Amino acid sequence: MDPEQINEFVVGYLKKKGFSSAAKDLEAYHHHNNNGSSFTSTDYHNDPELTKLIRSFSQQEDDPTRYREGYSNLRSWAYNSLDLYKHELLRVMYPVFIHCYMDLVGKGHTQEARGFFNSFRRDHEMVHLRDLQKLEGVLAPSHLEEMEFARSLRKSKVNIKISQYSYDLLIQYLQRTKSTLMLGIINEHINFQVYSGQPTPSSDDIEAVTIFGSFQDTANHINQKEIQWGLLEDSLEDRLEKTGGLLSDSEKGQGESKDGDADDSKKRSTEIGKQGSSLKKLKKDKAGNATAKVARLETITVPPAPRVKPELALPVMSTDVEQSILEDLRNRVQLSSVAMPSVSFYTFVNTHNGLNCSSISHDGSLVAGGFSDSSIKVWDMAKIGQAGSGVLQGENDTNDQIMGPNGRRSYTLLLGHSGPVYSATFSPPGDFVLSSSADTTIRLWSTKLNANLVCYKGHNYPVWDVQFSPFGHYFASCSHDRTARIWSMDRIQPLRIMAGHLSDVDCVQWHPNCNYIATGSSDKTVRLWDVQTGECVRIFVGHRSMVLSLAMSPDGRYMASGDEDGTIMMWDLSTARCITPLMGHNSCVWSLSYSGEGSLLASGSADCTVKLWDVTSSTKLTKAEAKNGNTNRLRSLRTFPTKSTPVHALRFSRRNLLFAAGALSKPAS
């Protein structure tokens, strides 16, 4: 290197390290001594050892192999560590990996960056596959600024929980091996939360790795906003509570067991067919009578939900619908950890992988399926019961394959979309169906007229989910365009647009009081939005993969979210903190549903199981702040396995019967 190159490197190095004033002074000094000509030799050129050191620094700054060598050595050391500390040390590897890759891209070493990425990506594919697929598109320095995902990673830190001993081991290794490059990346992009004591097992801390820095600061600021999470004033549940209409099972058994049995038997025959319904009711009543005291004790410990005013002009409910709902609520079976619900599972057969979504009406009398051929099919359970068939035929079936006793097919075919249907949902009374599609539209169908009434256009990309509000009339949608939208049935344009997610918004759910909606996204966060203002009022951070399902507790106090990895997290809406993680599923959680009184949570997964979780015990544990860190877990009460049917949809009826639906898949040969 000639003196001029050394001068340029020293100035550039000072600027890079933040010593801008020193760099300006050095440049001014050279210009002053040389009257604007090229730099001349200064004192540090006359020291051969110093010149050699500067030359080595210059070569290191431009040498892309340092990243591969440094990361490979750190990786080997972490994998060869003792098992007690290995899982904590390996948490560091993913952020180091992605920032090594982005540093190489930022410096223009595209070929070396691709080679580095392909060499080590397998280490992280199991947990971070979708992030890696996005990072594959970062191929030039300009992409680091243009791609929002890459830009957010560069600006934010990762918060990693680590024990004191594991932290000391890591720092000692980096200092001993003089791994200044790796140490610099870790110092710039990782924030360690060091705790004393032994390392916790890897499965016991769901929040071990979270986003930190500018994004977390934004989330903390938003989460300070006040929200009204209670139930609506003068709701049907509110009226029943005031009049004493919500009786326990033991009280119902003493006063109105005969009427209740007769009414419920009629209801069940419509919901699940005539066979075995009275037997299930009898078993449930016995279980309810035996556990009524336990259930009452559990509910006493939870303070009543506050009452709030609606921000939306809610529709007037017809008298017939109101009376039907009130009767269902009066005859609701009280569930608890010792009183399990009956489960009615609707299985779609012969769908040939064409079923994308399914939905069940609130009383279980109607089941809808959305298919890849752009069709929607609605089955009436009463007709299937009459036909003596217990299965739902799917795509590519001919009309004469399922015939009712009157010679007509037992499902209603709804055609109108021009792309695969990704979501379908029934209105609370069951008189309407909403569907969303890859054709970017949402369609409203009448189940009485069997016709399409409205086509709503507003999203620019496929619409992944659509959900009616608890009172009907209003509905929410979410899309690949990274927005959620609020609509009303009587207007073709959205009333509100919620924008803020960094990736696809995959699922949406209404709060029971209709003042808020929650959205789950591929950016691994859940957001809560104020319907009236369209503002984000909560950001829930903790998932490690895309969020696919959401459910609100009946009192509006808690929310559950399920992700692609099979993890379910239960959140407190008022504090935006995760109360407890639910570990048990080993594949995508596609559906979640709370029981009517909120004591149980049901989850349906692609692992072909339905699981029931004890919500009451988990909230009691968190009040004591879980004296040891491993007790704040929801207790898994029961697992209902299917033969080979991934669970697409779940719903508790108003009487607390659990409905589930899915398509039979061929077992791998």
Side-chain angles (χ1 to χ4, degrees), residues 22-237:
K24 288 180 181 177
D25 291 342
L26 185 60
E27 283 182 315
Y29 172 77
H30 290 309
H31 281 288
H32 176 73
N33 286 348
N34 297 283
N35 297 320
S37 62
S38 61
F39 293 170
T40 59
S41 177
T42 54
D43 293 342
Y44 52 77
H45 298 142
N46 300 323
D47 186 340
E49 289 298 322
L50 185 57
T51 303
K52 183 178 178 182
L53 181 62
I54 293 174
R55 186 180 295 114
S56 67
F57 269 123
S58 174
Q59 291 171 347
Q60 286 181 8
E61 285 289 314
D62 295 327
D63 186 6
T65 61
R66 294 187 311 135
Y67 288 91
R68 177 185 285 271
E69 182 181 345
Y71 180 83
S72 180
N73 291 338
L74 179 62
R75 175 180 177 272
S76 298
W77 173 78
Y79 274 103
N80 290 323
S81 301
L82 292 174
D83 289 343
L84 182 62
Y85 309 106
K86 183 191 295 186
H87 71 274
E88 286 197 332
L89 297 172
L90 288 177
R91 290 172 184 167
V92 180
M93 300 311 300
Y94 177 66
V96 173
F97 169 76
I98 60 175
H99 287 292
C100 282
Y101 173 69
M102 288 193 286
D103 278 357
L104 286 168
V105 171
K107 292 178 179 180
H109 303 300
T110 305
Q111 292 298 326
E112 291 82 357
R114 297 307 305 165
F116 174 84
F117 188 84
N118 293 328
S119 296
F120 301 110
R121 67 173 293 168
R122 289 186 179 179
D123 294 347
H124 312 289
E125 280 184 339
M126 182 175 293
V127 178
H128 303 285
L129 178 61
R130 289 190 174 271
D131 286 357
L132 296 177
Q133 290 171 343
K134 293 176 186 175
L135 284 174
E136 278 185 312
V138 180
L139 300 172
S142 60
H143 294 170
L144 295 174
E145 290 299 322
E146 293 169 0
M147 288 182 62
E148 193 168 2
F149 176 71
R151 191 168 68 248
S152 66
L153 286 176
R154 298 292 275 177
K155 291 182 179 179
S156 299
K157 281 192 173 184
V158 174
N159 192 16
I160 296 181
K161 275 185 169 181
I162 192 170
S163 67
Q164 183 68 55
Y165 199 83
S166 298
Y167 177 76
D168 291 342
L169 284 174
L170 176 64
I171 299 302
Q172 287 173 13
Y173 165 80
L174 294 171
Q175 291 175 341
R176 185 179 69 253
T177 58
K178 298 181 180 179
S179 305
T180 54
L181 180 62
M182 296 297 105
L183 183 59
I185 290 174
I186 289 172
N187 180 62
E188 186 176 357
H189 298 290
I190 298 178
N191 179 73
F192 288 106
Q193 282 192 335
V194 182
Y195 63 91
S196 58
Q198 291 293 321
T200 56
S202 58
S203 61
D204 280 349
D205 199 348
I206 197 68
E207 294 183 324
V209 182
T210 53
I211 298 174
F212 190 74
S214 60
F215 177 79
Q216 187 66 48
D217 293 340
T218 303
N220 290 338
H221 175 71
I222 289 175
N223 292 342
Q224 298 301 315
K225 296 180 180 179
E226 185 178 354
I227 64 169
Q228 303 293 326
W229 55 263
L231 296 178
L232 289 180
E233 294 177 349
D234 201 35
S235 64
L236 293 179
E237 292 86 349

Side-chain angles (χ1 to χ4, degrees), residues 620-635:
K620 286 180 180 176
L621 283 170
T622 53
K623 287 177 184 175
E625 282 301 321
K627 292 181 181 177
N628 78 46
N630 300 332
T631 59
N632 59 338
R633 290 301 179 93
L634 272 182
R635 188 155 58 96

Side-chain angles (χ1 to χ4, degrees), residues 307-319:
R307 297 305 191 254
V308 300
K309 294 182 179 180
E311 294 181 357
L312 294 174
L314 298 178
V316 178
M317 192 179 297
S318 69
T319 306

Side-chain angles (χ1 to χ4, degrees), residues 455-643:
C455 179
Y456 302 94
K457 297 179 180 179
H459 288 288
N460 302 318
Y461 291 93
V463 185
W464 300 130
D465 193 17
V466 62
Q467 293 292 330
F468 262 113
S469 79
F471 294 89
H473 187 68
Y474 300 100
F475 58 93
S477 62
C478 59
S479 167
H480 177 61
D481 63 14
R482 298 185 287 187
T483 68
R485 302 178 189 228
I486 304 291
W487 311 72
S488 64
M489 290 171 59
D490 57 349
R491 297 191 182 185
I492 60 172
Q493 297 297 329
L495 306 178
R496 294 286 183 275
I497 299 176
M498 283 74 171
H501 280 293
L502 304 179
S503 188
D504 293 39
V505 186
D506 298 298
C507 54
V508 63
Q509 187 60 255
W510 285 83
H511 191 274
N513 64 24
C514 292
N515 291 338
Y516 305 96
I517 64 164
T519 55
S521 169
S522 294
D523 66 11
K524 306 177 187 176
T525 67
V526 180
R527 291 177 182 245
L528 191 71
W529 308 82
D530 189 307
V531 168
Q532 185 64 33
T533 64
E535 292 183 359
C536 178
V537 294
R538 288 289 183 273
I539 300 179
F540 304 90
V541 181
H543 281 286
R544 299 185 190 177
S545 60
M546 60 190 294
V547 182
L548 299 175
S549 55
L550 296 167
M552 294 284 184
S553 65
D555 62 359
R557 190 187 306 260
Y558 305 113
M559 175 179 68
S561 56
D563 66 23
E564 188 181 32
D565 291 341
T567 301
I568 304 166
M569 302 184 80
M570 186 170 164
W571 308 89
D572 186 327
L573 293 185
S574 59
T575 63
R577 290 195 59 82
C578 177
I579 295 176
T580 178
L582 294 73
M583 312 294 286
H585 289 294
N586 54 34
S587 190
C588 312
V589 179
W590 281 338
S591 186
L592 294 166
S593 181
Y594 279 93
S595 61
E597 71 294 314
S599 62
L600 300 180
L601 175 69
S603 59
S605 169
D607 64 10
C608 302
T609 64
V610 174
K611 289 182 180 290
L612 292 175
W613 309 85
D614 184 2
V615 173
T616 310
S617 64
S618 92
T619 52
K620 286 180 180 176
L621 283 170
T622 53
K623 287 177 184 175
E625 282 301 321
K627 292 181 181 177
N628 78 46
N630 300 332
T631 59
N632 59 338
R633 290 301 179 93
L634 272 182
R635 188 155 58 96
S636 178
L637 297 174
R638 186 172 297 179
T639 299
F640 298 96
T642 63
K643 288 183 178 179

